[in-house]
């Protein structure tokens, strides 16, 4: 029946259909048991206007109607009071075919479900749902309207590329058109709503006999037919295809459904380019156009196996909204080579697919199309260039010898490669430096030596610093074997952002000998040399004596700081003993030096100056000087000569590796001990033979306080050296001759005697007693420290003077509970004669205190 719009003012209440989806799609959780929405739906006729009201407790009113197959319907609805939702589907449906939401004030002919298709004969249900479910009342009326799909103004059949004009007569009108299609044809659909802004939206659906579809929509205010384009459809069979046009309901209840004129086209796309032949060759520059939106241009390329090229691509419409896409599908390993360009790109070389090597002659397809299959309104002119790549340098020779410098070559475009052969007569140290020139643009430049693949992303890379700034890098020093080697120069990326512009590189043979002075130097020499060329190193040798103390002062003489040099002292095997980093430009020689090095053995040593990054920084070159000097070890405040028994105060360790050496004179064979008091922290005293320089004793301390260094015997030369190092601060020391005779008791004792009046004091003191006995006598010595002894205690030994062998010994660490608890075992004396009792600290650097012992006859 015809529907007429009442004069009521349309509601502007905006209720989101998405927010009401639970009501529309799911409805209430139960049916009423009374009224029109009984458990059995009420049958109604298509075309009848049905009215209803919800009583308190009602939630759903359920109606049914019969449908034949292949018919279209819509349900018009008006809310007279309250808000209601309509859901339509086959009987017992879970998912509706169509829905809508109605609020009071909207005319009967202005609210309807989308048009839905009854594809089989059966029964459909209309469920009217009160919103919200618990509201007190709602009333409505609705009609199920069968929709005639035939166009009103023209025949339904049309031809591909025809422009079709029609009108949607109502908000639920549907126009179904047909066209003949051939299997394999590529088509797109375009549609244009001719109404003003806000008048609604039209949807066109292309439907294939197999049920597949593609869709395009246009809203009021659209101005150009070609701006709204569906995705492409490849027609699967030769048959009749449908183009179905309907209005689309808006998001809000207040949105209008479109009623009025429209036009559309179903356009057959030809993948052949429109302006030139499809066949291309490497080296061609191509100008073409994507028109209409969704158009595809396919070019065909046949080449030679192994031929290399890049494809550069530019959209030239001038519109930023135009995005075109170039791809060469399934070229190598199943991966396409692609590039995209917008209409405002300013250069043909801004986008490239990357370097391509043909695995076979082909043929290959190069395809240009709208991005996103034309859904973005992309179209317009474009151009592309098939850039041939020749690996031979274009401007210079490709054969090099070590030491050659190459200038004047260019990476013409991203993807270009230049390859050279470097011939080396013998294995040598080498370095290779690479520069990207100031006029170059793009990402990093790469140099590869003997590359194992065609991948240019790895190697010696010169990255851009800033526009107009040249950049140099070097490999660093390495061993290069004799024979031919391949050098490859290429951009790290071969797409449009890859390197373009001039470059230069130089190969260097590195000689580790100094260039201007002798490599043999003496302690005390000051030497001036230069690191040049890049990666150079200078090796010097010198002879040093055991016990010498050395340091090396260094100064970089370059005009400005552009890097660092590394100085090392090495042993005869090349092992690094000392090292320092120094800038290649420093103020004066005295500013930078190594730590003190104490020569352990007499022999040959090495000194090396090399670039701080092994030659990888091209700026690390220039002159330098160094001085190999004896490290001063004389004390600064007192004399270095010390007499045995002297105390020395007033000296200090002035800096971290300061060393003070003193020389103690005394009669050869004299035994003495050294006591010193350092500041808390790490400190060390070393006692050495001044002639052989051999170490006699070493004592380290971390706590401070008076520390003994133990006993030593003055050697034949009559001089012993004392060497003090450690924490910065003052220290004190003294030397004390050791007298092994007891201080208060007689040194001669007899079996049966008890010695009570002696003491080990100071630390390192020794007391020796003698007694006589007969062969076969048995003795035991009872030993006691009655008032305890400093850690780790005192020890007593019985010694055979004839053989200087220890016959028995014992140690006491704590006071005994009773004299006699600590004793030697029974000692059977081996001969008639003299024996010795020796008492001393368990360690000659620790332990002191009083003691008592008894020489007991028998066990």
């Amino acid at each position: 029946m015809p529907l007429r719009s009442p004069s009521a003012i349309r509601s502007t209440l905006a209720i989101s259909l998405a927010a009401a989806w639970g009501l529309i799609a799911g409805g209430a959780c139960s049916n009423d048991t009374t009224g029109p929405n009984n458990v059995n739906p009420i049958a109604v006729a298509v075309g009848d206007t049905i009215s209803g009201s919800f009583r308190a407790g009602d939630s759903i009113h359920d109606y049914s109607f019969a449908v034949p197959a292949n018919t279209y319907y819509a349900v018009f609805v008006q809310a007279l009071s309250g808000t209601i939702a309509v859901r339509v589907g086959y009987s017992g449906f879970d998912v509706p075919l169509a829905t809508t939401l109605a609020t009071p004030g909207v005319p009967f002919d202005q609210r309807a479900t989308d048009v839905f298709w009854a594809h089989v004969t059966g029964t459909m249900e209309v469920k009217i749902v009160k919103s919200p479910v618990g509201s007190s009342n709602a009333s409505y009326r609705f009609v199920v309207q069968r929709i005639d799909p035939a166009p009103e103004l023209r025949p339904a059949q049309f031809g591909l590329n025809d422009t079709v004009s029609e009108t949607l007569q109502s908000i639920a009108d549907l126009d179904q058109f047909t066209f003949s299609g051939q299997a394999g044809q590529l088509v797109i659909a375009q549609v244009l709503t001719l109404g003003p802004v806000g008048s609604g939206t039209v949807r066109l659906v292309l439907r294939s006999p197999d049920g597949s579809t593609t869709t395009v929509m246009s809203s009021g205010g659209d101005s150009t037919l070609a701006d709204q384009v569906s995705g492409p459809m490849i027609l699967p069979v030769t048959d009749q295809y449908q183009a179905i046009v309907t209005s689309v309901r808006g998001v809000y209840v207040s949105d209008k459904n479109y009623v009025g004129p429209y036009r559309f086209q179903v356009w057959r796309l030809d993948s052949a380019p429109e302006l030139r032949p499809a066949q291309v060759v490497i080296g061609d520059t191509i100008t073409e156009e994507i028109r209409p939106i969704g158009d595809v241009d396919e070019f065909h390329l046949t080449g030679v196996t192994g031929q290399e090229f890049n494809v550069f691509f530019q959209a030239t419409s001038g519109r930023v909204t135009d995005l075109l896409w170039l791809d060469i599908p399934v070229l190598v390993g199943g991966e396409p080579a692609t590039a995209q360009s917008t209409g405002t790109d300013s250069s043909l070389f801004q986008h490239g697919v990357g370097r391509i090597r043909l695995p076979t002659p082909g043929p290959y397809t190069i395809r240009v199309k709208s991005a996103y299959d034309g859904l973005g309104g992309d179209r317009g002119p474009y151009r592309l260039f098939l850039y041939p790549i020749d690996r031979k340098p274009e401007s210079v020779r490709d054969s090099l010898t070590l030491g050659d410098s190459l200038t004047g070559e260019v990476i013409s475009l991203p993807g270009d490669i230049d390859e050279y052969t470097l011939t080396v007569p013998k294995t040598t140290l080498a370095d290779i430096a690479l520069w990207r020139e100031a006029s170059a643009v793009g990402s990093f430049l790469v140099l590869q030596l003997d590359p194992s693949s065609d991948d240019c992303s790895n190697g010696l890379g010169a990255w851009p610093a800033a526009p107009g700034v040249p950049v140099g890098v070097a490999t660093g020093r390495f061993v290069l074997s004799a024979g031919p080697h391949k050098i490859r120069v290429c951009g790290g990326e071969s797409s449009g952002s890859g390197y373009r512009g001039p470059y230069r590189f130089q190969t260097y043979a590195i000689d580790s000998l100094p260039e201007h002075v002798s490599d043999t130097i003496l302690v005390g020499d000051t030497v001036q040399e230069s690191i040049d060329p890049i990666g150079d190193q200078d090796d010097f040798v010198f002879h040093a004596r055991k016990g010498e103390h050395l340091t090396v002062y260094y100064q970089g003489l370059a005009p400005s700081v552009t890097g660092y040099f590394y100085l090392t002292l090495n042993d005869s095997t090349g092992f690094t003993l000392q090292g320092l980093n120094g800038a290649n430009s420093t103020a004066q020689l005295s500013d930078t030096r190594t730590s003190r090095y104490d020569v352990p053995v007499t022999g040959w040593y090495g000194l090396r100056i090399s670039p701080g990054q092994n030659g990888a920084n091209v700026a690390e070159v220039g002159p330098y000087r160094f001085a190999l000097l004896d490290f001063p070890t004389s004390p600064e405040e007192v004399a270095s000569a010390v007499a045995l028994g002297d105390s020395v105060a007033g000296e200090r360790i002035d800096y971290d590796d300061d060393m003070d050496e003193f020389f103690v004179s005394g009669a050869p064979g004299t035994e003495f001990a050294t006591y010193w008091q350092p500041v808390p922290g790490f400190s060390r005293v070393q006692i050495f033979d001044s002639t052989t320089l051999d170490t006699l004793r070493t004592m380290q301390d971390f706590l401070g306080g008076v520390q003994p260094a133990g006993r030593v015997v003055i050697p034949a030369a009559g001089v012993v050296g004392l060497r003090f190092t450690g924490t910065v601060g003052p220290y004190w020391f003294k030397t004390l001759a050791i007298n092994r005779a007891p201080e208060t008791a007689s040194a001669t004792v007899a079996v049966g005697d008890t010695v009570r009046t002696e003491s080990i004091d100071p630390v390192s003191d020794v007391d020796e007693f003698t007694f006589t006995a007969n062969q076969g006598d048995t003795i035991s010595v009872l030993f006691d420290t009655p008032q305890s002894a400093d850690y780790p205690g005192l020890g007593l030994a019985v010694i055979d003077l004839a053989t200087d062998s220890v016959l028995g010994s014992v140690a006491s660490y704590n006071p005994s509970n009773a004299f006699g608890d600590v004793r030697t075992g029974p000692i059977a004396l081996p001969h008639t004669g003299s024996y010795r009792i020796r008492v001393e600290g368990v360690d000659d650097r620790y332990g002191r205190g009083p003691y008592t012992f008894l020489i007991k006859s028998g066990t």
Side-chain angles (χ1 to χ4, degrees):
M1 75 174 192
L3 297 174
R4 301 184 181 275
S5 172
S7 59
I9 299 174
R10 183 179 183 190
S11 169
T12 58
L13 177 63
I15 301 176
S16 172
L17 291 180
W21 179 245
L23 174 66
I24 294 174
C29 62
S30 64
N31 284 332
D32 295 318
T33 57
T34 61
N37 56 325
N38 203 308
V39 291
N40 296 313
I42 297 175
V44 298
V46 173
D48 286 353
T49 299
I50 309 300
S51 297
S53 296
F54 286 94
R55 294 173 299 181
D58 284 355
S59 57
I60 298 177
H61 290 182
D62 200 349
Y63 304 87
S64 66
F65 62 96
V67 294
N70 295 317
T71 52
Y72 292 93
Y73 300 88
V75 178
F76 287 81
V77 64
Q78 183 179 23
L80 302 175
S81 64
T83 299
I84 61 169
V86 178
R87 298 185 290 124
V88 187
Y90 278 101
S91 181
F93 68 87
D94 291 322
V95 178
L97 295 175
T99 64
T100 192
L101 190 70
T103 56
V106 180
F108 201 10
D109 63 348
Q110 295 300 309
R111 178 59 55 197
T113 65
D114 287 336
V115 177
F116 53 93
W117 179 42
H119 62 288
V120 295
T121 299
T123 300
M124 288 197 178
E125 293 183 23
V126 178
K127 295 182 184 293
I128 309 295
V129 184
K130 182 172 57 173
S131 173
V133 172
S135 60
S136 60
N137 60 16
S139 58
Y140 59 89
R141 60 177 178 158
F142 74 91
V143 60
V144 179
Q145 190 76 38
R146 180 168 175 173
I147 305 301
D148 184 358
E152 289 78 18
L153 305 180
R154 57 152 294 143
Q157 188 72 25
F158 68 94
L160 290 176
N161 297 353
D162 286 351
T163 299
V164 178
S165 297
E166 232 327 320
T167 298
L168 291 176
Q169 304 292 325
S170 74
I171 64 171
D173 190 13
L174 178 145
D175 294 331
Q176 182 173 291
F177 302 87
T178 57
F179 67 92
S180 298
Q182 303 294 316
Q185 286 180 323
L186 180 66
V187 300
I188 58 170
Q190 305 171 336
V191 70
L192 176 64
T193 300
L194 298 178
V197 174
S199 60
T201 300
V202 165
R203 175 174 60 201
L204 183 150
V205 178
L206 286 186
R207 180 181 291 159
S208 168
D210 65 3
S212 60
T213 62
T214 184
T215 302
V216 60
M217 293 191 291
S218 174
S219 298
D222 289 340
S223 59
T224 304
L225 177 63
D227 283 349
Q228 297 76 232
V229 182
S230 72
M233 174 184 282
I234 299 176
L235 303 186
V237 294
T238 299
D239 204 338
Q240 290 293 304
Y241 291 79
Q242 294 179 339
I244 303 168
V245 181
T246 59
S247 175
V248 179
R249 190 172 66 248
V251 174
Y252 300 101
V253 172
S254 59
D255 289 344
K256 293 181 179 180
N257 282 64
Y258 184 77
V259 177
Y262 64 88
R263 63 172 178 258
F264 73 88
Q265 288 180 328
V266 178
W267 193 278
R268 179 187 173 186
L269 296 178
D270 186 353
S271 62
E274 289 76 26
L275 305 180
R276 58 152 294 142
Q279 193 67 36
V280 297
V281 296
I282 294 174
D284 281 354
T285 299
I286 298 162
T287 301
E288 251 299 339
E289 184 173 6
I290 292 297
R291 181 171 52 87
I293 297 171
D295 184 22
V296 174
D297 290 339
E298 291 185 346
F299 303 90
H300 306 292
L301 168 69
T302 300
V304 177
T305 297
Q307 196 169 8
E308 291 182 297
F309 65 102
N310 197 351
V311 182
F312 295 98
F313 177 58
Q314 180 191 12
T316 59
S317 70
R319 294 183 296 267
V320 70
T321 55
D322 290 330
L323 177 61
L324 302 185
W325 192 348
L326 176 146
D327 74 272
I328 308 176
V330 197
L331 180 68
V332 179
E335 293 294 329
T338 64
Q340 295 184 16
S341 175
T342 60
T344 53
D345 285 338
S346 59
S347 169
L348 173 60
F349 307 112
Q350 196 168 338
H351 303 285
V353 301
R355 185 170 48 254
I356 294 170
R357 180 195 290 266
L358 295 181
T360 65
Y364 299 95
T365 298
I366 299 175
R367 180 177 296 130
V368 180
K369 60 183 179 180
S370 301
Y372 314 118
D373 294 328
L375 295 180
D378 306 305
R379 64 192 183 281
Y382 63 87
R383 57 180 180 159
L384 55 93
F385 172 42
L386 280 67
Y387 167 57
I389 295 173
D390 184 351
R391 295 197 173 212
K392 287 189 175 182
E394 290 77 22
S395 304
V396 298
R397 69 186 188 279
D398 61 357
S399 296
L400 305 173
T401 58
L402 198 58
D404 282 351
S405 176
L406 185 141
T407 303
E409 192 48 66
V410 174
I411 295 296
S412 306
L413 288 173
D416 187 18
I417 291 179
D418 293 331
E419 291 185 340
Y420 306 83
T421 298
L422 171 66
T423 302
V424 179
K426 63 180 181 179
T427 299
T428 185
L429 283 175
D431 197 352
I432 303 176
L434 172 71
W435 288 266
R436 55 179 297 144
E437 301 288 26
S439 60
V441 296
S443 63
F444 61 107
L445 176 68
V446 172
L447 182 145
Q448 298 174 322
L449 180 66
D450 294 327
S452 58
S453 71
D454 280 339
D455 181 7
C456 278
S457 62
N458 297 310
L460 176 63
W463 292 82
V469 177
V471 175
V473 293
T475 59
R477 190 169 48 254
F478 65 97
V479 176
L480 190 61
S481 61
H485 297 271
K486 178 187 289 186
I487 292 179
R488 177 188 295 159
V489 180
C490 50
E493 298 177 22
S494 58
S495 61
S497 60
Y499 185 89
R500 283 187 291 148
Y503 66 87
R504 59 189 172 96
F505 70 86
Q506 186 165 359
T507 62
Y508 301 95
I510 303 300
D511 186 346
S512 62
L513 294 176
E515 287 74 32
H516 306 293
V517 297
S518 171
D519 66 328
T520 303
I521 59 176
L522 301 175
V523 175
D525 282 352
T526 298
V527 177
Q528 183 164 325
E529 247 298 337
S530 182
I531 291 297
D532 190 23
I534 297 166
D536 183 27
Q537 76 177 34
D538 294 331
D539 286 337
F540 301 87
V541 294
F542 63 92
H543 194 268
R545 299 185 312 277
K546 174 182 176 180
E548 280 190 286
H549 311 290
L550 304 177
T551 188
V552 183
Y553 286 85
Y554 158 85
Q555 181 184 12
L557 299 175
S560 62
V561 177
T562 54
Y564 290 82
F565 292 159
Y566 189 44
L567 181 149
T568 61
L569 276 175
N570 311 307
D571 64 16
S572 59
T573 69
F575 180 79
T576 297
L577 306 169
Q578 291 274 8
L580 65 83
N581 278 317
N584 61 351
S585 180
T586 55
Q588 53 192 4
L589 184 62
S590 60
D591 287 348
T592 307
R593 71 168 179 87
T594 67
S595 298
R596 183 192 75 247
Y597 178 66
D598 305 324
V599 179
V601 294
T602 299
W604 287 95
Y605 292 82
L607 190 152
R608 172 175 294 169
I609 307 288
S610 59
Q613 296 189 34
N614 192 34
N617 182 351
V618 297
E620 290 178 332
V621 294
Y624 64 86
R625 64 173 177 160
F626 68 85
L628 174 63
L629 303 177
D630 284 311
F631 187 88
T633 59
S634 297
E636 292 79 15
E637 306 298 332
V638 299
S640 61
V642 178
L644 188 61
D646 282 353
S647 293
V648 176
E651 192 52 66
R652 59 182 288 115
I653 298 298
D654 296 299
Y655 45 89
D656 285 343
D657 62 344
D658 187 19
M659 172 186 285
D660 292 334
E661 289 186 334
F662 298 86
F663 296 93
V664 180
S665 299
T670 301
E671 188 176 23
F672 76 96
T674 301
Y675 305 87
W676 102 102
Q677 184 174 10
V679 296
F682 174 75
S683 297
R684 184 174 71 170
V685 59
Q686 184 180 15
I687 306 172
F688 61 95
D689 187 319
S690 62
T691 301
T692 66
L693 302 179
D694 292 335
T695 298
L696 304 176
R697 296 299 297 265
T698 297
M699 181 65 177
Q700 296 181 166
D701 176 68
F702 293 88
L703 302 177
V706 176
Q707 305 292 327
R711 299 185 298 270
V712 297
V713 176
I714 296 177
V719 179
V720 173
L722 299 181
R723 182 177 294 143
F724 294 90
T725 57
T727 303
V728 173
Y731 62 90
W732 162 93
F733 76 91
K734 70 175 180 179
T735 60
L736 179 67
I738 299 298
N739 181 1
R740 295 196 169 215
E743 286 74 29
T744 59
S746 170
T748 302
V749 294
V751 175
D753 284 353
T754 298
V755 175
R756 298 182 181 276
T757 60
E758 269 301 329
S759 179
I760 295 298
D761 191 24
V763 174
S764 302
D765 184 23
V766 179
D767 290 340
E768 291 184 342
F769 305 83
T770 59
F771 69 93
T772 59
N774 297 317
Q775 182 179 5
D777 288 349
T778 298
I779 65 167
S780 293
V781 181
L782 285 61
F783 185 55
D784 187 27
T785 51
Q787 300 176 23
S788 183
D790 289 349
Y791 175 86
L794 304 181
L796 176 147
V798 179
I799 301 168
D800 184 350
L801 288 179
T803 61
D804 198 30
S805 58
V806 175
L807 303 178
S809 63
V810 69
S812 176
Y813 302 98
N814 295 293
S816 303
N817 291 330
F819 183 54
D821 286 352
V822 178
R823 63 175 65 197
T824 67
I827 302 172
L829 300 179
H831 60 82
T832 299
S834 295
Y835 294 86
R836 176 173 293 159
I837 300 289
R838 177 181 297 155
V839 181
E840 61 185 329
V842 171
D843 185 310
D844 72 345
R845 296 169 298 177
Y846 304 101
R848 66 178 178 175
Y851 61 87
T852 300
F853 69 84
L854 164 64
I855 307 173
K856 181 182 177 183
S857 177
T859 60

